[in-house]
Amino acid sequence: MTYKAFTEQDAIDRVRTLGLIGDGAVEAEEIGDGNLNLVFRIREGEHRLILKQALPYAKVVGESWPLSLERAWIEQSALREFARHAVPFVPRVFHASHEEAYTVMEDLSHLTIVRSGLLAGEQYPLLAEHIGSYLARTLFHTSDFALGPVEKKRVARTYYNPDLCDITEKLIFTDPFHDAETNEIEAGLEEEVARLWADDELKREVAKLEALFITKGDALLHGDLHTGSIFASATETKVIDPEFAFYGPFGFDVGQFIAHLFFAAYPDYSALRDARIRDIDTFWLTFASTFRALWEREAVEPFQASGLVDDVLSTILQDALGFAGCELIRRTIGLAPVADLESIDSTTERLERKRHALRLGAALIKRRTECRTFDDLRNFDVTEELSR
Amino acid sequence: MTYKAFTEQDAIDRVRTLGLIGDGAVEAEEIGDGNLNLVFRIREGEHRLILKQALPYAKVVGESWPLSLERAWIEQSALREFARHAVPFVPRVFHASHEEAYTVMEDLSHLTIVRSGLLAGEQYPLLAEHIGSYLARTLFHTSDFALGPVEKKRVARTYYNPDLCDITEKLIFTDPFHDAETNEIEAGLEEEVARLWADDELKREVAKLEALFITKGDALLHGDLHTGSIFASATETKVIDPEFAFYGPFGFDVGQFIAHLFFAAYPDYSALRDARIRDIDTFWLTFASTFRALWEREAVEPFQASGLVDDVLSTILQDALGFAGCELIRRTIGLAPVADLESIDSTTERLERKRHALRLGAALIKRRTECRTFDDLRNFDVTEELSR
């Protein structure tokens, strides 16, 4: 079976041949944004499935560049791996085809995408705790410290993902820090951005974070863990779309999620700030306590060494704050803007929040090593950055 | 062609079929130690070649365990890769067979193995400088900073070497730090060793170094760079046997070489100490200045960031001192003792030097982060450790 992009009928034929639906009346609808993937929702009465197929290119703002179909296989491998360790938080995979680059999985339309939900005023009281637990379990259990180095090397071979890592390297660590074509800088931010680009200390610290991203293979990362990659309700949380999955540093996913909780406060900063800071707090406390408990119970010798997990957690926190800083900056002036900022109607307020995001990002990057524990971050009042 | 262990006649047949020798009288002699590999020296008059073939097991002190033949392919790939960047210091490879797990390469019998030569009183005035240059070139040029992350990921895939990494992890980082069967502890050292094993700080720092070894993929390492892996004369230096090659942290090879320069002083400590410390000094200065020059000239954007290479070099130094400490300890009480210590006739002196090596090792591991520059190491008088 050689690859071709599916029609709705192709999608129905595949799930029918696989016996995943019956012989009744079936309808299929393509619901993706068509930039990277086709996403078909297939219904047979109350029974619903998702068939997601990778496209051999990425389309962003009219541009198109070739992208390996291999990422579909990586995505389904990662979904299955994550489900092994954090089953409540991962959509169920029913079937995947390597050749045709598609995966059939659980439909989640009873949930909402967290970014849209938060913008619409939804509450997700368990979100921070769930993602803390999800990340502690997936990161610990795919690491050398749980698997042992021989098994980890074997698992890591599946996640050879240079194309998608390259996108991250360019869009998060490189382009936002110089005058690159991909940037989208709103009129009125030029002066603020010029200050960033002239900041040699910032650029050195970002280069260190990029070096960490490309050289450190701690654990299998989701690789793109923003609030648009999470479906949730008041009681349920599911993390989707790990096509950027690869072996990278523990702090990366943690930092991306923290950045997007900060973003979630911007639509109504004075009203939402405290709630989102509490979410970050809950997220980190859940992550750190779960990670520590797993480590103490299950880390292979000799990583049970007294005090080692404290050191690992304090490194994760510092790295995560740095990665969060990069994400705050790139989503404010880089290629993929966030609705949390773009949906602010008042130009004055929008520019003010964007300036805040840039300064918060730079402060997190440059001052991350001041944080040995999360209490240090609590005392690290980034709002003061605005008056510097 | 399926694998079988060669006879001398098989070795001759292969090089003849390959056209690497003529039709004249040829003799072959197996000169390996037979523990891991067969090594045939093949002569046709003045023309000499080496054919090295991997055995499917490792034999150490009578024990035998299975070992992947894949390491032969990794070794020849690494020799060719290193030759691309540091040709004067790498034996020439004429042919390699993946299936039959052998490599035909340059014979180096006009040189001596450095460990044996130093023990016999030979001088290698260019050794430290040559190895400094060799490591700066091979480490920099196989890193993300020279290749860019996409090409580096492609190159790194060849060096999937879990079996041999596992040997290093066990023998360097794990076994010497608890009462493992593989240890060889000379009578009289028990008290000193008990102190090591009771030192929780030491064990935590060793676990951190092991974590670095298994998670950080900075560059293609030799992986076993001791003075028994180097052929030299007064003017020439060749690094052989990279079958442990894998993508690991910059500091590992650097640290192993430093450890074995320390060992080289032990046969006659008062007479040799200053010369070997000068060698370590020359080695580091050559390494650091060459690495810095390559980085400044050739590092890909954005790693030209001002001050970044200083930070990278200071991390390499600290990590290298830690790895050197582990190597000093494992070669003193672990599975693979060094002639530099074992050849000391007087039991009193031998035990004294072994105690020194253990304390020096522990000091390097625990105090490595005090060294920001090599001057800090010069001022870090480890001999005082003996009186603590």
Side-chain angles (χ1 to χ4, degrees), chain A residues 144-145 149-150 152-154 157 160 162 165-166 169 174 200 203-204 207-208 210-212 214-218 302-303 305-308 311, chain B residues 144-145 149-150 152-154 157 160 162 165-166 169 174 200 203-204 207-208 210-212 214-218 302-303 305-308 311:
Chain A
D144 288 279
F145 310 105
V150 173
K152 179 264 194 145
K153 285 184 189 71
R154 195 191 60 74
R157 289 205 99 188
Y160 174 67
C165 288
D166 187 47
E169 288 145 24
T174 311
D200 282 342
K203 288 159 92 167
R204 181 174 65 245
K208 279 189 208 169
E210 179 173 357
L212 190 67
I214 60 187
T215 60
K216 198 80 169 24
D218 288 325
F303 301 109
S306 140
L308 183 59
D311 190 77
Chain B
D144 288 278
F145 309 106
V150 174
K152 179 263 193 145
K153 285 184 188 72
R154 196 191 59 74
R157 289 205 100 187
Y160 174 67
C165 288
D166 187 48
E169 288 146 23
T174 311
D200 283 341
K203 288 160 92 167
R204 181 174 64 246
K208 280 189 207 169
E210 180 173 358
L212 189 68
I214 60 187
T215 60
K216 197 81 169 27
D218 288 325
F303 301 109
S306 142
L308 183 59
D311 189 77

Side-chain angles (χ1 to χ4, degrees), chain B residues 16-83:
Chain B
R16 186 160 270 154
T17 307
L18 290 163
L20 294 170
I21 51 168
D23 297 323
V26 171
E27 52 190 54
E29 188 190 359
E30 207 284 306
I31 57 169
D33 58 11
N35 286 337
L36 289 161
N37 302 289
L38 297 170
V39 181
F40 299 95
R41 179 178 294 133
I42 301 165
R43 296 167 190 267
E44 183 193 31
E46 288 305 291
H47 183 45
R48 299 188 314 265
L49 290 171
I50 292 290
L51 185 152
K52 178 175 176 181
Q53 186 187 38
L55 290 166
Y57 52 79
K59 261 196 226 158
V60 188
V61 267
E63 295 286 316
S64 171
W65 68 82
L67 203 56
S68 161
L69 290 171
E70 196 59 26
R71 70 187 195 278
W73 192 250
I74 287 176
E75 176 173 352
Q76 72 83 32
S77 303
L79 284 171
R80 291 178 197 257
E81 182 68 35
F82 293 148

Side-chain angles (χ1 to χ4, degrees), chain B residues 214-228:
Chain B
I214 60 187
T215 60
K216 197 81 169 27
D218 288 325
L220 183 62
L221 305 188
H222 179 284
D224 193 27
L225 188 58
H226 57 83
T227 45

Side-chain angles (χ1 to χ4, degrees), chain A residues 71-93:
Chain A
R71 70 187 194 280
W73 191 250
I74 287 176
E75 176 174 352
Q76 72 83 31
S77 304
L79 284 171
R80 291 177 196 259
E81 182 68 34
F82 293 149
R84 231 165 267 144
H85 313 301
V87 72
F89 309 125
V90 182
R92 200 168 149 203
V93 170

Side-chain angles (χ1 to χ4, degrees), chain B residues 276-295:
Chain B
R276 294 296 83 86
I277 295 278
R278 270 199 308 278
D279 284 343
I280 293 174
D281 211 52
T282 304
F283 163 65
W284 175 258
L285 291 177
T286 308
F287 172 79
S289 62
T290 311
F291 190 91
R292 176 189 299 280
L294 291 170
W295 187 291

Side-chain angles (χ1 to χ4, degrees), chain A residues 266-268 339-347 349-350 353:
Chain A
Y266 286 129
D268 190 357
D340 319 54
L341 286 170
E342 300 306 324
S343 66
I344 299 169
D345 285 331
S346 149
T347 301
E349 278 187 23
R350 194 173 58 248
R353 306 278 156 75

Side-chain angles (χ1 to χ4, degrees), chain B residues 45-287:
Chain B
E46 288 305 291
H47 183 45
R48 299 188 314 265
L49 290 171
I50 292 290
L51 185 152
K52 178 175 176 181
Q53 186 187 38
L55 290 166
Y57 52 79
K59 261 196 226 158
V60 188
V61 267
E63 295 286 316
S64 171
W65 68 82
L67 203 56
S68 161
L69 290 171
E70 196 59 26
R71 70 187 195 278
W73 192 250
I74 287 176
E75 176 173 352
Q76 72 83 32
S77 303
L79 284 171
R80 291 178 197 257
E81 182 68 35
F82 293 148
R84 232 166 266 144
H85 313 300
V87 71
F89 309 125
V90 182
R92 202 169 147 200
V93 170
F94 300 108
H95 180 79
S97 162
H98 203 150
E99 297 73 24
E100 295 196 298
Y102 74 84
T103 302
V104 185
M105 65 187 109
E106 182 181 3
D107 177 68
L108 298 169
S109 52
H110 63 295
L111 307 176
T112 50
I113 285 288
V114 167
R115 190 186 313 279
S116 325
L118 287 172
L119 274 169
E122 293 283 325
Q123 303 286 326
Y124 301 106
L126 298 179
L127 174 72
E129 201 179 311
H130 282 172
I131 298 297
S133 169
Y134 163 84
L135 277 183
R137 299 199 218 174
T138 58
L139 296 180
F140 175 74
H141 282 298
T142 60
S143 76
D144 288 278
F145 309 106
L147 297 175
V150 174
E151 175 64 6
K152 179 263 193 145
K153 285 184 188 72
R154 196 191 59 74
V155 173
R157 289 205 100 187
T158 302
Y159 301 97
Y160 174 67
N161 204 357
D163 282 18
L164 280 85
C165 288
D166 187 48
I167 294 177
T168 303
E169 288 146 23
K170 283 203 172 60
L171 296 188
I172 298 190
F173 298 108
T174 311
D175 288 359
F177 298 94
H178 70 113
D179 188 10
E181 270 190 20
T182 56
N183 291 329
E184 297 181 21
I185 298 163
E186 183 167 356
L189 281 183
E190 296 83 354
E191 204 178 314
E192 192 70 32
V193 169
R195 272 216 297 167
L196 280 189
W197 291 349
D199 186 340
D200 283 341
E201 183 195 351
L202 178 70
K203 288 160 92 167
R204 181 174 64 246
E205 294 305 316
V206 170
K208 280 189 207 169
L209 288 161
E210 180 173 358
L212 189 68
F213 180 82
I214 60 187
T215 60
K216 197 81 169 27
D218 288 325
L220 183 62
L221 305 188
H222 179 284
D224 193 27
L225 188 58
H226 57 83
T227 45
S229 298
I230 306 170
F231 270 110
S233 68
T235 56
E236 218 182 333
T237 307
K238 301 278 184 188
V239 179
I240 62 166
D241 287 355
E243 57 199 310
F244 283 79
F246 78 109
Y247 263 78
F250 279 136
F252 186 74
D253 284 351
V254 174
Q256 284 214 311
F257 185 64
I258 289 174
H260 287 271
L261 288 176
F262 277 125
F263 278 127
Y266 285 129
D268 190 356
Y269 197 65
S270 53
L272 294 172
R273 179 182 180 279
D274 289 350
R276 294 296 83 86
I277 295 278
R278 270 199 308 278
D279 284 343
I280 293 174
D281 211 52
T282 304
F283 163 65
W284 175 258
L285 291 177
T286 308
F287 172 79

